[in-house]
Amino acid sequence: MGQTFTGLLKAARARSGQGGAVSAEVLRLCGDYLAGLAVSGPLDDTGRTRLVAAIGTLTTACGTDGDERFDALLRTGRRALETGGETETRLALDLAAEATALRSGSKGAWRLRGSALEAAGRRDEAVRAYERHLELQRNPAAAEDIVRRVAVLKELRACLDEAAGLLPGEDGAGLRALHDAPAGQVRTAFAEAVRLRTVRSGGLADPAVRRLTTLYAAHRRLLDRDRMADPLLGGAEPVGVPALRRLIAGRSVCLVAGAARVADEERDPDGPIGRLVGGYDVVVRCDTLPPAARRTDLHAVTLRGDTPWAGPAWDRPAGTRLVLGGPLPLWRRSLRARLVAGAQDRVGDASLRHPLDDPALLGEDGWGPGTATAFTVLRLLDFLDAADRLDLIGFGLPGQLRPREREWVGARAVHEDETGMRTALR
């Protein structure tokens, strides 16, 4: 991992034996975390790189005044949460517990503790930590997001409790206990409970099944986004999987490559490519929209880099904007920073962020963060299985897909033009 990393690991462990305002146990935990990274191989994840830097600052700050030490402790906890892994979440919980023990009157410490508990799936404890933060927070405007999170967590509990009452015996008790489980586990188990109850009751004719389905939809929506619609969406309608499926159901859909050749040929609306694209019901484009693009019904972008919210505004008109990738906090921040009011009618909600590896959708591992946006959207549209026709335009050109992605397309293509400009998947 390099001499600098090794030196940081030694420093963290050395400090852990000295005590001080930041407990030796916390520094030991940081040292153990660094040791785990050292064993895992090269550090090529930007989130973990930032967390390692924060641990270095915390280790150094042990020799400074109290405020600097405490600020470094909170910063390291926030970096651990932003990184998003299970190990990092446990580290954030330990750092948050230390922060509230050191300064029980710190609103920042209680906010960090609430966020860490929520990330760990311990939602009832998160509510109590958030409520303590609100007691200490004297600026109502700064507390609006926490007020919303508390309302969401309480409504999630109410949804599960009511749904559990519609299930027999142990099934209901098991569902109720999932309130303090990781989000992915809750989604999967709740969906399976709805499926089993529907099968046993013979379908949606049973009022209890209809109510259970409504509660599941509400719970899933609350799990993925705030209770209140974000006013910065500029009136755009949030859409999830069912709504996206309805948008393409029975229609002809084309996914247009961003290759320079395609963009050049599309400048002429009466040319071969211009006429071809114009003949589809739904035109899908990805990432940077070419200046010549006359119509974009679905625009998909993937959040990349350390600060995805700092990218250019999404101001080109599109019917639906689909934003992929990113931990949920960074995804929300990016939408608020980059969406332009009036530039889209609909915005994909958080349930559509990771269609490839989300167990509620495709649930496939191994594609990695470098997967092309176009391929991710193609897989999602293919999975929805609603379009009457699904074609790729320009993806036969070099550099549009990675080799593995191209192999997937080639194995499922039913037709490809001699020019390589149109590939049909159905």
Side-chain angles (χ1 to χ4, degrees):
M1 304 292 288
Q3 182 64 36
T4 300
F5 187 89
T6 302
L8 176 56
L9 174 55
K10 290 180 178 178
R13 286 184 162 168
R15 291 283 189 185
S16 70
Q18 298 176 9
V22 175
S23 76
E25 175 64 13
V26 165
L27 290 174
R28 185 191 65 78
L29 290 168
C30 288
D32 290 347
Y33 175 76
L34 294 174
L37 289 184
V39 172
S40 65
L43 187 62
D44 55 3
D45 181 275
T46 55
R48 288 187 172 88
T49 300
R50 296 169 69 188
L51 174 54
V52 167
I55 291 174
T57 303
L58 174 60
T59 304
T60 304
C62 287
T64 62
D65 63 66
D67 287 342
E68 187 172 342
R69 281 194 301 263
F70 191 74
D71 289 345
L73 179 64
L74 295 183
R75 190 180 307 113
T76 305
R78 290 193 295 268
R79 288 285 184 259
L81 281 179
E82 290 171 3
T83 303
E86 184 177 343
T87 303
E88 288 78 14
T89 299
R90 288 198 299 268
L91 178 61
L93 274 170
D94 291 328
L95 297 177
E98 174 74 6
T100 52
L102 284 173
R103 297 188 182 182
S104 61
S106 167
K107 57 181 181 290
W110 285 104
R111 178 172 184 152
L112 174 63
R113 187 163 184 172
S115 299
L117 288 164
E118 185 178 357
R122 294 159 59 178
R123 297 180 181 87
D124 285 338
E125 292 177 77
V127 167
R128 292 192 288 272
Y130 282 145
E131 288 177 338
R132 177 58 178 151
H133 165 83
L134 292 174
E135 291 173 3
L136 297 167
Q137 177 60 263
R138 298 181 180 180
N139 181 0
E144 289 179 358
D145 58 334
I146 299 300
V147 171
R148 284 199 300 271
R149 290 313 302 161
V150 170
V152 165
L153 292 171
K154 289 183 175 180
E155 196 164 346
L156 283 168
R157 163 62 81 184
C159 281
L160 274 187
D161 285 345
E162 184 179 350
L166 299 172
L167 298 175
E170 294 182 0
D171 291 348
L175 183 63
R176 186 177 285 108
L178 287 172
H179 181 65
D180 283 331
Q185 182 181 345
V186 180
R187 291 189 195 99
T188 302
F190 202 163
E192 180 63 10
V194 173
R195 187 189 70 80
L196 289 175
R197 182 71 168 82
T198 303
V199 170
R200 292 167 181 166
S201 301
L204 292 173
D206 185 341
V209 172
R210 292 198 299 272
R211 180 57 184 164
L212 185 62
T213 303
T214 300
L215 290 168
Y216 168 73
H219 188 276
R220 176 65 187 265
R221 184 174 61 252
L222 290 167
L223 203 60
D224 289 333
R225 69 173 187 263
D226 282 348
R227 182 170 179 266
M228 298 173 61
D230 191 331
L232 294 182
L233 295 185
E237 174 191 358
V239 297
V241 174
L244 182 61
R245 193 177 190 279
R246 289 194 296 270
L247 286 172
I248 64 171
R251 309 179 77 186
S252 61
V253 179
C254 72
L255 178 56
V256 183
R261 176 182 166 185
V262 176
D264 289 341
E265 295 192 25
E266 200 178 353
R267 291 179 185 276
D268 181 4
D270 297 320
I273 294 298
R275 290 198 306 272
L276 177 62
V277 172
Y280 289 87
D281 298 321
V282 179
V283 177
V284 183
R285 304 180 194 273
C286 299
D287 299 319
T288 303
L289 296 176
R294 285 177 164 74
R295 176 163 64 100
T296 303
D297 300 300
L298 173 61
H299 176 221
V301 294
T302 300
L303 301 177
R304 304 191 191 276
D306 294 343
T307 55
W309 59 85
W314 298 312
D315 55 2
R316 297 288 301 280
T320 301
R321 195 90 61 191
L322 185 60
V323 182
L324 307 171
L328 189 56
L330 299 188
W331 181 85
R332 286 175 174 149
R333 182 174 179 180
S334 298
L335 259 64
R336 289 167 180 160
R338 299 177 66 181
L339 284 177
V340 175
Q344 56 280 310
D345 300 320
R346 295 166 293 277
V347 177
D349 68 16
S351 67
L352 293 167
R353 286 182 303 130
H354 296 286
L356 288 179
D357 55 16
D358 187 341
L361 294 171
L362 279 83
E364 296 180 2
D365 296 324
W367 287 103
T371 304
T373 304
F375 182 75
T376 302
V377 174
L378 171 64
R379 293 298 311 279
L380 175 60
L381 297 176
D382 181 70
F383 169 79
L384 294 176
D385 194 25
D388 181 60
R389 178 179 169 190
L390 180 58
D391 292 351
L392 302 177
I393 307 297
F395 284 92
L397 299 174
Q400 299 307 303
L401 295 172
R402 299 190 301 178
R404 186 184 172 198
E405 297 166 357
R406 184 180 294 278
E407 288 176 9
W408 187 94
V409 171
R412 290 159 178 79
V414 297
H415 174 76
E416 185 168 1
D417 289 352
E418 294 180 359
T419 62
M421 292 299 281
R422 184 178 77 88
T423 303
L425 268 69
R426 61 186 59 192

